[in-house]
Amino acid sequence: MFIGAINQDVRAILYEMAENWRDKEIYVGCSGNFTVERVLFKAGVKNIHSNDVSLYSCCLGRYLTGEKMNVDISDPEYEWLDQYMKNELDRIATLLLCSEMFKYADRQERYFKRMWQAYTENFAKLHEQTKERVAKALDGIRIKSFYAGDVVDFIQQAPDDAVIISFPPTYKSGYERMYKKIDEVFTWEQPVYEIFDDNRFSEFMSSLQKKHAWVTLRDKQIAELEPYLRAITQNGMRSKPVYVYAQEGHAKLTMPRQKTEPLKVPRFAESDEITPDSVLTAAVITQGQMNLLRSEYLSPSIIPAQAMVNIAVIVDGKVIGAIAFSDARYTVASTDIYMLSDFAVRPTKYSRLSKLVLTAALSKEIKAYLEQVFGKRIYTITTTAFTEKAVSMKYRGLFDLYSRKEGMLNYTADAGKWSLGEGLKWWLEKHAHKLKN
Amino acid sequence: MVAGETRSQIEELNRKIEEAGQQFKLAVVDIEELSLLEKNARYMTNEQFRRLVSNIKRDGGLSSVPFCYKEGDRYKVLSGNHRVMAAREAGLKQVLIMYTDKEMTKAEQIAVQLSHNAIVGQDDPVILKELWDEINDVDLKMYSGLDDKILDELKKISIEPLSEVKLDYRTLSFLFLPSELERVKEVIQEAVELCGGDEIYAARIEEFDRMLAAISKTNAAHNIKNAATSLMIILDIFENHLTDLAEGWTERETSAREWVPLASIIGTENIPVEAAKIIQRAVQKMMDRGEITKKNLWQALEYWAADYLAGE
């Protein structure tokens, strides 16, 4: 799969700019998946010159100019792919499939072997369908020229009155990592180019700014380019913003916004009491409802993350707090689950209501539900307390500290320690007597 | 502490406000003298709050004044709780507030709190967009708290996907049902309607626990996380133990009309091709002699086994 930085918002911004360039010669550096070219074409721009260095992009470029290109298979193990390399369109489809399929190559793990087998067994069908998709995506699109080589050379060779659009790799050796296996399997006349790093970016920018008009983007703010900042787009709360710099253009901005939904369940109030007759329950809530509770009760300085499971903890029909769980990405063992956040509502007279929320998190009922959702056995729950202190009082006595890093404490506890009823009884005995002054 | 000159200027202002017949006062107070509401229906999402903090930092102060109720030495913030929280986060030590020290009941305080949030104007979207377009600076647009997406200012540019076709996945749903038998039928029907998977299997809730245990052990043994891969390994193990299935018909009463899998005797569904050729020839010979017909080819095995056992 080709990974590019040109999201939906950047496409819209580019489209708007392109409407002024219909009679200009446009030079697109680092064409990648030719998304820029396809947006330009849609905006009625026809005089396009493209450039890139990867085998996939070069095949696309040659196809769009109608030129021929030699590509051979150098690894005998992959000679079976030869039948899928007959013409330019064949090759583009094969390279697209290989970019995904090669993730599973040369691996001995069962999962990877299974995926590899599925790809190789179904290659003919996948290739046919991919070819149809590529033909449709490129239907009617033509470019005036394609330069296989260094983007800085490409820009320098462009006429001064040209418009330059170039979105170079945002991380060092990006192409090289993506195409390592492809370059091992296929032989072709590889262009010479320099690795794109921050130094190369400075050189790239000075070449760019000599031209009539230009657009580029980075995933970080560049102080020297501040006067040219035309847009910032960010999709997710935790995703990196994309900064669009251009010689001209109207300012644009897109920012992520959390969706909130009402939660029509009463909240545990200051006057409410928890007694031995009380009933502790848990209910699954939506991400929108969690966003609402988090906005109300959790420190607003904590950047929200998307959870897979959100649960409201309820006493006698009133919400006392909420917990969010995520998959094993951050966890230490496959039988572990990560608790992204846990918090109690306020105001309350109980100093340690948040411990009752944690008591629920460690219940058999929540464990059983998590096992159903995640389809695996769960033995432990892991979480992180972001604090400069040596210990987090909230987790003490319920979770064990297993590691400490600067500004954070990592805790773990056995899942399914007790039933919700047993947990409530424990909390009533140990913590209910601690009241706020 | 507020400087003496500022204090006297504010006192002068408060005197003028009083002369104008208004009951409110201004004060510059230490931010720690302000008490926030314990219960507040108004919330701000993380991104709105961070924007507010950035704006306060940029401005160097609050650009609108919180309204407070003076209770003893402290000021209870009835309106502007998030502004005060953001001011703290932005590092402000003192803020300008408007307050009243006139006695207020709890209900009156709540009424003020709610009114400041409820009695707000609305935007005409057309004029809002026109004003938005007058800002041609990304930082100032950010300051405004709006963006092009929320104002629906960005065109939707759709282009055909240029990507590979993905592997075809099928969904296999296992439903683990409560053990009440009378409910099973009803729940399966409901599940079929709700679940959309390609195939549905039903089992009791206890079996779910056993299956998780099996997947968990398989995951640990093979160091994998993917449940579907575990299931494939479990099936491999099953295939290697097909003869165990014989217990299913040797350890219970059976009727003569039942059929059982041959694999539960010989442990496999497949045999080497050379062996198959010999068996095929023998079966054909029995057919030619009329000892078996096309309908009971399997009986060749029974006859051979009986002959073998008779010769023991």
Side-chain angles (χ1 to χ4, degrees), chain B residues 25 27 29 32-38 67-78 81 97-110 113:
Chain B
K25 294 177 180 173
V29 297
E32 298 310 322
E33 290 178 71
L34 298 172
S35 305
L36 297 174
L37 291 169
E38 284 273 28
F67 181 74
C68 305
Y69 171 58
K70 191 170 185 200
E71 277 182 317
D73 292 339
R74 296 191 64 79
Y75 298 88
K76 183 178 177 183
V77 184
L78 297 183
N81 279 265
I97 59 159
M98 181 181 278
Y99 71 96
T100 180
D101 50 10
K102 185 188 149 227
E103 195 73 23
M104 286 173 91
T105 64
K106 175 88 177 169
E108 282 174 325
Q109 292 171 37
I110 294 173
Q113 172 192 341

Short mmCIF file of all heavy atoms in Angstrom, two decimals, chain B residues 25 27 29 32-38 67-78 81 97-110 113:
data_model
loop_
_atom_site.label_atom_id
_atom_site.label_comp_id
_atom_site.label_asym_id
_atom_site.label_seq_id
_atom_site.Cartn_x
_atom_site.Cartn_y
_atom_site.Cartn_z
N LYS B 25 -18.96 45.28 40.93
CA LYS B 25 -17.67 45.92 41.20
C LYS B 25 -16.58 45.20 40.41
O LYS B 25 -16.74 44.04 40.04
CB LYS B 25 -17.35 45.82 42.69
CG LYS B 25 -18.29 46.62 43.57
CD LYS B 25 -17.98 46.42 45.02
CE LYS B 25 -18.96 47.25 45.87
NZ LYS B 25 -18.82 46.97 47.29
N ALA B 27 -12.43 44.06 40.34
CA ALA B 27 -11.28 43.83 41.22
C ALA B 27 -10.21 43.06 40.46
O ALA B 27 -10.52 42.25 39.59
CB ALA B 27 -11.70 43.03 42.45
N VAL B 29 -7.66 40.31 41.25
CA VAL B 29 -7.45 39.38 42.38
C VAL B 29 -6.39 38.34 42.02
O VAL B 29 -6.16 38.05 40.84
CB VAL B 29 -8.77 38.65 42.77
CG1 VAL B 29 -9.81 39.65 43.24
CG2 VAL B 29 -9.30 37.83 41.61
N GLU B 32 -5.59 32.52 42.89
CA GLU B 32 -5.86 31.53 43.94
C GLU B 32 -7.00 31.96 44.85
O GLU B 32 -7.51 31.16 45.63
CB GLU B 32 -4.58 31.26 44.75
CG GLU B 32 -3.42 30.68 43.95
CD GLU B 32 -3.81 29.47 43.11
OE1 GLU B 32 -4.63 28.66 43.58
OE2 GLU B 32 -3.32 29.36 41.96
N GLU B 33 -7.42 33.22 44.75
CA GLU B 33 -8.56 33.67 45.57
C GLU B 33 -9.89 33.27 44.94
O GLU B 33 -10.95 33.47 45.52
CB GLU B 33 -8.54 35.20 45.70
CG GLU B 33 -7.43 35.77 46.55
CD GLU B 33 -7.48 37.29 46.57
OE1 GLU B 33 -8.40 37.85 47.19
OE2 GLU B 33 -6.61 37.92 45.93
N LEU B 34 -9.84 32.73 43.75
CA LEU B 34 -11.07 32.36 43.03
C LEU B 34 -11.43 30.90 43.30
O LEU B 34 -10.56 30.03 43.25
CB LEU B 34 -10.88 32.56 41.53
CG LEU B 34 -10.59 33.99 41.07
CD1 LEU B 34 -10.22 34.02 39.59
CD2 LEU B 34 -11.80 34.88 41.31
N SER B 35 -12.70 30.65 43.62
CA SER B 35 -13.19 29.27 43.81
C SER B 35 -14.02 28.89 42.60
O SER B 35 -14.91 29.64 42.19
CB SER B 35 -14.07 29.17 45.05
OG SER B 35 -13.40 29.65 46.16
N LEU B 36 -13.73 27.72 42.06
CA LEU B 36 -14.49 27.26 40.88
C LEU B 36 -15.75 26.52 41.33
O LEU B 36 -15.80 26.01 42.45
CB LEU B 36 -13.62 26.35 40.02
CG LEU B 36 -12.38 27.00 39.42
CD1 LEU B 36 -11.52 25.97 38.72
CD2 LEU B 36 -12.77 28.10 38.45
N LEU B 37 -16.72 26.46 40.45
CA LEU B 37 -17.97 25.75 40.77
C LEU B 37 -17.70 24.25 40.90
O LEU B 37 -16.98 23.69 40.08
CB LEU B 37 -18.99 25.97 39.64
CG LEU B 37 -19.56 27.38 39.50
CD1 LEU B 37 -20.33 27.48 38.20
CD2 LEU B 37 -20.46 27.71 40.69
N GLU B 38 -18.30 23.64 41.87
CA GLU B 38 -18.16 22.18 42.04
C GLU B 38 -18.99 21.46 40.98
O GLU B 38 -18.62 20.41 40.48
CB GLU B 38 -18.65 21.77 43.43
CG GLU B 38 -17.67 22.11 44.53
CD GLU B 38 -16.63 21.01 44.74
OE1 GLU B 38 -16.32 20.28 43.79
OE2 GLU B 38 -16.13 20.90 45.87
N PHE B 67 -17.33 36.55 36.00
CA PHE B 67 -18.24 37.17 36.96
C PHE B 67 -18.29 36.31 38.22
O PHE B 67 -18.50 35.09 38.14
CB PHE B 67 -19.65 37.30 36.34
CG PHE B 67 -20.62 37.96 37.27
CD1 PHE B 67 -20.53 39.34 37.50
CD2 PHE B 67 -21.58 37.23 37.94
CE1 PHE B 67 -21.41 39.96 38.38
CE2 PHE B 67 -22.46 37.85 38.82
CZ PHE B 67 -22.37 39.22 39.04
N CYS B 68 -18.11 36.96 39.40
CA CYS B 68 -17.98 36.20 40.65
C CYS B 68 -18.96 36.70 41.72
O CYS B 68 -19.48 37.82 41.65
CB CYS B 68 -16.57 36.34 41.20
SG CYS B 68 -15.31 35.87 40.03
N TYR B 69 -19.14 35.82 42.71
CA TYR B 69 -19.94 36.17 43.88
C TYR B 69 -18.98 36.15 45.06
O TYR B 69 -18.31 35.14 45.31
CB TYR B 69 -21.06 35.12 44.05
CG TYR B 69 -21.81 35.24 45.34
CD1 TYR B 69 -22.46 36.43 45.68
CD2 TYR B 69 -21.90 34.15 46.22
CE1 TYR B 69 -23.18 36.52 46.88
CE2 TYR B 69 -22.61 34.24 47.40
CZ TYR B 69 -23.23 35.43 47.73
OH TYR B 69 -23.93 35.53 48.92
N LYS B 70 -18.91 37.28 45.79
CA LYS B 70 -17.94 37.35 46.89
C LYS B 70 -18.52 36.69 48.14
O LYS B 70 -19.58 37.09 48.63
CB LYS B 70 -17.55 38.80 47.16
CG LYS B 70 -16.36 38.88 48.09
CD LYS B 70 -15.80 40.26 48.20
CE LYS B 70 -14.53 40.19 49.07
NZ LYS B 70 -14.16 41.46 49.63
N GLU B 71 -17.81 35.67 48.60
CA GLU B 71 -18.22 34.95 49.81
C GLU B 71 -17.07 35.06 50.79
O GLU B 71 -16.05 34.37 50.61
CB GLU B 71 -18.45 33.46 49.52
CG GLU B 71 -19.80 33.14 48.94
CD GLU B 71 -19.96 31.63 48.73
OE1 GLU B 71 -19.02 30.97 48.25
OE2 GLU B 71 -21.03 31.12 49.05
N GLY B 72 -17.19 35.90 51.79
CA GLY B 72 -16.09 36.10 52.74
C GLY B 72 -14.89 36.67 52.01
O GLY B 72 -15.01 37.67 51.30
N ASP B 73 -13.73 35.99 52.14
CA ASP B 73 -12.51 36.50 51.50
C ASP B 73 -12.33 35.95 50.08
O ASP B 73 -11.38 36.32 49.39
CB ASP B 73 -11.27 36.07 52.31
CG ASP B 73 -11.25 36.77 53.65
OD1 ASP B 73 -11.92 37.82 53.77
OD2 ASP B 73 -10.60 36.24 54.57
N ARG B 74 -13.22 35.04 49.68
CA ARG B 74 -13.02 34.39 48.39
C ARG B 74 -14.08 34.81 47.37
O ARG B 74 -15.14 35.31 47.73
CB ARG B 74 -13.04 32.86 48.55
CG ARG B 74 -11.89 32.36 49.42
CD ARG B 74 -11.78 30.86 49.35
NE ARG B 74 -11.43 30.37 48.02
CZ ARG B 74 -10.21 30.39 47.51
NH1 ARG B 74 -9.20 30.87 48.20
NH2 ARG B 74 -9.99 29.91 46.31
N TYR B 75 -13.73 34.57 46.11
CA TYR B 75 -14.65 34.90 45.02
C TYR B 75 -15.07 33.61 44.33
O TYR B 75 -14.21 32.88 43.82
CB TYR B 75 -13.97 35.83 44.00
CG TYR B 75 -13.53 37.15 44.58
CD1 TYR B 75 -12.29 37.29 45.18
CD2 TYR B 75 -14.39 38.26 44.53
CE1 TYR B 75 -11.89 38.50 45.71
CE2 TYR B 75 -13.99 39.48 45.06
CZ TYR B 75 -12.74 39.60 45.66
OH TYR B 75 -12.35 40.80 46.19
N LYS B 76 -16.37 33.34 44.32
CA LYS B 76 -16.88 32.13 43.67
C LYS B 76 -17.20 32.48 42.22
O LYS B 76 -18.01 33.40 41.97
CB LYS B 76 -18.14 31.66 44.40
CG LYS B 76 -18.74 30.38 43.91
CD LYS B 76 -19.94 30.04 44.79
CE LYS B 76 -20.66 28.81 44.35
NZ LYS B 76 -21.85 28.58 45.19
N VAL B 77 -16.60 31.77 41.30
CA VAL B 77 -16.79 32.12 39.87
C VAL B 77 -18.14 31.56 39.39
O VAL B 77 -18.32 30.35 39.29
CB VAL B 77 -15.64 31.54 39.00
CG1 VAL B 77 -15.79 31.98 37.55
CG2 VAL B 77 -14.29 31.94 39.55
N LEU B 78 -19.07 32.45 39.12
CA LEU B 78 -20.39 32.00 38.62
C LEU B 78 -20.37 31.88 37.10
O LEU B 78 -21.07 31.07 36.52
CB LEU B 78 -21.49 32.99 39.04
CG LEU B 78 -21.71 33.15 40.55
CD1 LEU B 78 -22.87 34.11 40.81
CD2 LEU B 78 -21.99 31.82 41.23
N ASN B 81 -15.73 29.86 34.47
CA ASN B 81 -14.91 28.82 35.13
C ASN B 81 -13.80 28.30 34.23
O ASN B 81 -12.67 28.11 34.67
CB ASN B 81 -15.81 27.67 35.59
CG ASN B 81 -16.49 27.98 36.90
OD1 ASN B 81 -16.01 27.62 37.96
ND2 ASN B 81 -17.59 28.71 36.84
N ILE B 97 -11.61 40.74 37.54
CA ILE B 97 -12.94 40.11 37.59
C ILE B 97 -14.00 41.16 37.84
O ILE B 97 -13.70 42.27 38.29
CB ILE B 97 -13.04 39.04 38.72
CG1 ILE B 97 -12.76 39.67 40.10
CG2 ILE B 97 -12.10 37.88 38.46
CD1 ILE B 97 -13.31 38.88 41.25
N MET B 98 -15.24 40.81 37.55
CA MET B 98 -16.38 41.61 37.97
C MET B 98 -17.07 40.78 39.04
O MET B 98 -17.16 39.56 38.91
CB MET B 98 -17.31 41.88 36.79
CG MET B 98 -18.50 42.74 37.16
SD MET B 98 -19.56 42.99 35.73
CE MET B 98 -18.73 44.31 34.92
N TYR B 99 -17.54 41.41 40.12
CA TYR B 99 -18.17 40.61 41.17
C TYR B 99 -19.32 41.37 41.82
O TYR B 99 -19.47 42.58 41.62
CB TYR B 99 -17.15 40.20 42.23
CG TYR B 99 -16.65 41.32 43.10
CD1 TYR B 99 -17.21 41.56 44.36
CD2 TYR B 99 -15.60 42.14 42.69
CE1 TYR B 99 -16.75 42.60 45.16
CE2 TYR B 99 -15.14 43.16 43.48
CZ TYR B 99 -15.72 43.39 44.72
OH TYR B 99 -15.27 44.42 45.51
N THR B 100 -20.10 40.62 42.58
CA THR B 100 -21.12 41.24 43.43
C THR B 100 -20.91 40.75 44.85
O THR B 100 -20.57 39.58 45.05
CB THR B 100 -22.55 40.92 42.93
OG1 THR B 100 -23.47 41.55 43.82
CG2 THR B 100 -22.84 39.44 42.89
N ASP B 101 -21.10 41.67 45.82
CA ASP B 101 -21.03 41.23 47.21
C ASP B 101 -22.41 41.29 47.85
O ASP B 101 -22.56 41.15 49.05
CB ASP B 101 -19.99 42.02 48.00
CG ASP B 101 -20.16 43.52 47.82
OD1 ASP B 101 -21.19 43.94 47.24
OD2 ASP B 101 -19.26 44.27 48.25
N LYS B 102 -23.41 41.52 46.98
CA LYS B 102 -24.80 41.54 47.47
C LYS B 102 -25.19 40.11 47.82
O LYS B 102 -24.88 39.17 47.08
CB LYS B 102 -25.68 42.08 46.33
CG LYS B 102 -27.11 42.27 46.71
CD LYS B 102 -27.95 42.63 45.47
CE LYS B 102 -29.34 42.07 45.66
NZ LYS B 102 -29.84 41.37 44.52
N GLU B 103 -25.87 39.93 48.95
CA GLU B 103 -26.30 38.60 49.41
C GLU B 103 -27.09 37.88 48.31
O GLU B 103 -27.98 38.46 47.71
CB GLU B 103 -27.18 38.77 50.65
CG GLU B 103 -27.41 37.52 51.46
CD GLU B 103 -26.18 37.07 52.25
OE1 GLU B 103 -25.28 37.91 52.53
OE2 GLU B 103 -26.10 35.89 52.54
N MET B 104 -26.72 36.64 48.03
CA MET B 104 -27.44 35.85 47.01
C MET B 104 -27.77 34.48 47.57
O MET B 104 -26.90 33.87 48.23
CB MET B 104 -26.58 35.67 45.75
CG MET B 104 -26.45 36.89 44.90
SD MET B 104 -25.26 36.60 43.56
CE MET B 104 -26.33 36.01 42.28
N THR B 105 -28.97 34.00 47.31
CA THR B 105 -29.31 32.63 47.72
C THR B 105 -28.60 31.67 46.77
O THR B 105 -28.14 32.07 45.69
CB THR B 105 -30.82 32.37 47.65
OG1 THR B 105 -31.21 32.48 46.28
CG2 THR B 105 -31.61 33.35 48.51
N LYS B 106 -28.57 30.38 47.13
CA LYS B 106 -27.95 29.36 46.27
C LYS B 106 -28.66 29.33 44.90
O LYS B 106 -28.02 29.25 43.85
CB LYS B 106 -28.06 28.00 46.98
CG LYS B 106 -27.58 26.83 46.19
CD LYS B 106 -26.11 26.58 46.39
CE LYS B 106 -25.72 25.33 45.62
NZ LYS B 106 -24.36 25.09 45.50
N ALA B 107 -30.02 29.43 44.96
CA ALA B 107 -30.79 29.38 43.70
C ALA B 107 -30.46 30.58 42.82
O ALA B 107 -30.37 30.45 41.59
CB ALA B 107 -32.28 29.33 44.02
N GLU B 108 -30.28 31.74 43.45
CA GLU B 108 -29.94 32.95 42.67
C GLU B 108 -28.57 32.78 42.01
O GLU B 108 -28.37 33.16 40.85
CB GLU B 108 -29.95 34.19 43.57
CG GLU B 108 -31.34 34.69 43.88
CD GLU B 108 -31.35 35.83 44.90
OE1 GLU B 108 -30.49 35.81 45.82
OE2 GLU B 108 -32.19 36.73 44.77
N GLN B 109 -27.66 32.19 42.75
CA GLN B 109 -26.31 31.96 42.19
C GLN B 109 -26.39 31.02 40.98
O GLN B 109 -25.76 31.26 39.95
CB GLN B 109 -25.39 31.34 43.24
CG GLN B 109 -25.04 32.27 44.39
CD GLN B 109 -24.31 31.54 45.50
OE1 GLN B 109 -23.52 30.66 45.24
NE2 GLN B 109 -24.61 31.91 46.74
N ILE B 110 -27.19 29.94 41.15
CA ILE B 110 -27.34 28.98 40.03
C ILE B 110 -27.99 29.66 38.83
O ILE B 110 -27.59 29.44 37.67
CB ILE B 110 -28.13 27.73 40.47
CG1 ILE B 110 -27.33 26.95 41.53
CG2 ILE B 110 -28.44 26.82 39.27
CD1 ILE B 110 -28.08 25.79 42.17
N GLN B 113 -25.43 31.59 37.05
CA GLN B 113 -24.54 30.62 36.38
C GLN B 113 -25.16 30.12 35.07
O GLN B 113 -24.53 30.15 34.01
CB GLN B 113 -24.29 29.45 37.33
CG GLN B 113 -23.55 28.27 36.74
CD GLN B 113 -23.61 27.03 37.66
OE1 GLN B 113 -23.89 27.14 38.84
NE2 GLN B 113 -23.35 25.88 37.08
#
